Every structure is written in C-alpha cells, then in structure tokens.
Amino acid sequence: MMQVQSQEDCVDCLVAEILACYLQLSKIETLSPSPHVNGLFDRLTEFCCQTFDESVVDKVLTHHRIASIATPLRRLCSDGEYRLEAYWTEKILREKSRADASAQLLNFTYFENYVDLTRMEINAVTSMTRGLRPKQFAVLGSGPLPMTSICILQSLRTEAQLVTVHNFDHDPQAISMSSELCVKLGYSRDEIDFHVLDVLSDQYDMLGFDVVYLASLVGITDEEKQKAINNMVKQMRPGALLVIRSAHSLRGLLYPVVNITVGVTSMGLKPLVVVHPYNEIVNSFAVLKVVG
C-alpha cells in the first residue's frame, strides 16, 4: 500500500511540475534566451529526462491535464529551441575571426549533446552500411544553428574523402543565418550548402543522398510527422538510409515520439536500429532503409 501511495505521489509531483513549467512558459511573450526562460526549460528538461518506472511514465502521459497540453508544450519547446539557436548564431557571427567564432561555438549550451548524439547516429549508420562511409547527407529541419551538419562533417570528412551535407529548412531566415555562420566557420559550398524547403508540402529530389536526417521538431503532431516521412521517402532512392530523431518516456513532452513500427512498411521503409539513450542525450533516433 505504501509503495502504491509513493508511486501516486511521484505521478502527482511530476504532473504538477510539468504543468507549472508549461503555464509559465505559455505566458511569456517571447521565448528568447534569458535567465527566466532558460531556467524554466532547464527545469522542464531535468524532470523529463529522469528515469522512472514505465507505470509512472504511462500515468503521467495519460493524465488528462498532461495529455491536453502535450502538443502545445512541444510547440513551445520548438519555439524556444529555435530562438536559442538563433541567439547563439548571432553571438558567434559577432566574433571578429574564424578562430574566435569556432571557439565560441564550443560554448553553445548543447554542443556536447549534439556531438554525442551525432556520433551515436554515425556509428549506427556505418554499421548498417558494412563500414562504407556515406558521402552525401541531407538534414531536414536544420535550423539557424546547423549543429548536426557540423558534427557530421567533423566526424566523417578526411583529406581522402569529401563529405557534403545539404541543409533544408522551411524558414528562409534560418537558412540565411546558418549559411552565413558556416562561411564564418570556414566551411566551403562543396562541404555544406543550404536550401529553403517545407518538408510538409514541397517536393525535392532526394535521389542523390545516401543518408537523410529528419530533425526531431519537423512535424510536431503525429499527422505532421507521418506526412513529412512519407513525403521524403517518395523522393529517396532504394537503399538510402533515413535517420529519424525522436524521443521516449517523458522526453516525448519535449520532442515528438515516432513509433517506427506503425505504418513504415507501407511507406517503403525497413527499420534497422532504434536507440533510446537514458543519459544526458535527450533524443532517441531510428535508422531505416528505403526499400521502395
């Protein structure tokens, strides 16, 4: 009886904390970085990234008040993440030299998180390609600070092999900022380029890409996410790999959860590997193969 009560207390506490963060964030006019905004997102992330029994997680996520704010909360997180990336891109662009800009990039709040996550993804991808290193990448939803693309280049490029990462985002300002940033950091157009593209509605030839990344915040609802995946798969070549970023447990309140066992076969995809980190890496990811 005491154990049940303890679990219920845990659920009530989590529900109260998540609702409190949501209510405060929803009242803020702009979610640009500030001590107050940063503190709320840090607090929310801290609670959502803790490990709890599945029964606790299920009760929190199915709680009527949490279920009612899940999608709006993810949209707030998406807005906050965009503004955080834009803030840091502008900060880096103000540096006078390439060396100073590169040093400032290392101070980005989630720099190590991106490095660790992308390293895991690249290791998973190369293990699925029998050690052959892909050369042509696309990142859909690259944002104002294209950390994933930068990490891919740092992980794979060598003097003997050119790797190119193509960045796509629906927001022209994000593309303009990230393009300027990469020039500042010394990347060439042969290494990284940029395109405005709305994954949910636009068509683009993806046949030349070995690996296509779908960022976690492309498609906030289940319907939007499935539409984005379906649109991309139709334009990819058989044998290419799709990396989908997702989330698990309470982290699904920060980023959309993608269930790759639902509907992917009918889209022409074969799941290869799914990874759910339980450490400081927030995102999960799945690697799928386009089979036509």
Side-chain angles (χ1 to χ4, degrees):
M1 186 68 178
M2 288 296 292
Q3 185 177 2
V4 173
Q5 183 62 42
S6 176
Q7 185 181 95
E8 292 303 321
D9 287 346
C10 180
V11 170
D12 291 343
C13 177
L14 286 168
V15 168
E17 288 288 351
I18 293 166
L19 286 172
C21 287
Y22 168 74
L23 290 173
Q24 291 183 69
L25 287 168
S26 64
K27 293 177 181 178
I28 298 174
E29 186 174 346
T30 174
L31 294 176
S32 297
S34 70
H36 182 50
V37 170
N38 296 349
L40 287 172
F41 278 123
D42 287 346
R43 181 176 158 198
L44 179 64
T45 301
E46 179 184 355
F47 279 104
C48 290
C49 288
Q50 291 182 42
T51 301
F52 300 99
D53 290 343
E54 288 187 15
S55 58
V56 171
V57 173
D58 289 342
K59 288 180 179 179
V60 172
L61 294 179
T62 57
H63 189 282
H64 69 282
R65 296 193 67 188
I66 297 299
S68 68
I69 59 99
T71 296
L73 178 57
R74 290 189 207 108
R75 294 198 188 280
L76 289 173
C77 291
S78 177
D79 183 30
E81 185 166 313
Y82 178 95
R83 293 177 185 275
L84 178 68
E85 289 188 8
Y87 168 85
W88 275 94
T89 295
E90 292 171 351
K91 188 173 184 177
I92 295 166
L93 287 172
R94 287 195 293 269
E95 298 293 341
K96 295 181 179 180
S97 69
R98 180 180 301 173
D100 289 342
S102 298
Q104 187 65 267
L105 177 64
L106 299 178
N107 295 323
F108 172 55
T109 312
Y110 297 110
F111 182 87
E112 291 299 332
N113 194 297
Y114 271 101
V115 170
D116 293 340
L117 174 59
T118 308
R119 183 187 297 119
M120 291 175 64
E121 292 165 341
I122 293 299
N123 286 338
V125 165
T126 54
S127 71
M128 295 298 114
T129 57
R130 299 181 179 179
L132 296 175
R133 294 198 168 195
K135 297 180 180 180
Q136 295 291 325
F137 288 78
V139 178
L140 310 178
S142 52
L145 178 54
M147 275 301 307
T148 297
S149 304
I150 291 170
C151 290
I152 290 171
L153 287 173
Q154 291 179 346
S155 296
L156 292 179
R157 68 174 177 173
T158 65
E159 292 183 3
Q161 176 174 303
L162 176 66
V163 173
T164 305
V165 184
H166 305 263
N167 294 271
F168 299 87
D169 200 283
H170 75 283
D171 182 15
Q173 184 177 5
I175 289 297
S176 176
M177 293 177 68
S178 55
S179 177
E180 185 179 356
L181 173 72
C182 287
V183 170
K184 182 82 172 186
L185 294 172
Y187 292 104
S188 71
R189 291 294 184 184
D190 291 332
E191 294 175 301
I192 189 165
D193 66 6
F194 298 86
H195 312 269
V196 176
L197 177 76
D198 187 343
V199 181
L200 295 176
S201 60
D202 296 341
Q203 300 295 310
Y204 192 89
D205 183 3
M206 298 280 170
L207 293 175
F209 300 132
D210 302 311
V211 180
V212 174
Y213 267 75
L214 187 66
S216 52
L217 291 172
V218 175
I220 298 298
T221 65
D222 291 341
E223 293 76 14
E224 291 172 349
K225 185 71 71 175
Q226 292 299 320
K227 184 176 181 180
I229 294 171
N230 197 37
N231 281 354
M232 290 304 100
V233 172
K234 289 178 180 178
Q235 301 166 70
M236 294 170 65
R237 63 170 175 80
L241 299 181
L242 177 63
V243 179
I244 302 175
R245 285 186 177 165
S246 178
H248 71 89
S249 303
L250 294 183
R251 302 170 191 226
L253 294 171
L254 308 174
Y255 297 99
V257 175
V258 180
N259 186 348
I260 66 163
T261 63
V262 177
V264 296
T265 303
S266 62
M267 292 184 193
L269 288 168
K270 178 183 179 181
L272 300 178
V273 62
V274 180
V275 177
H276 294 305
Y278 283 86
N279 59 0
E280 67 279 358
I281 299 174
V282 179
N283 288 111
S284 304
F285 69 89
V287 181
L288 305 96
K289 183 177 182 179
V290 179
V291 295

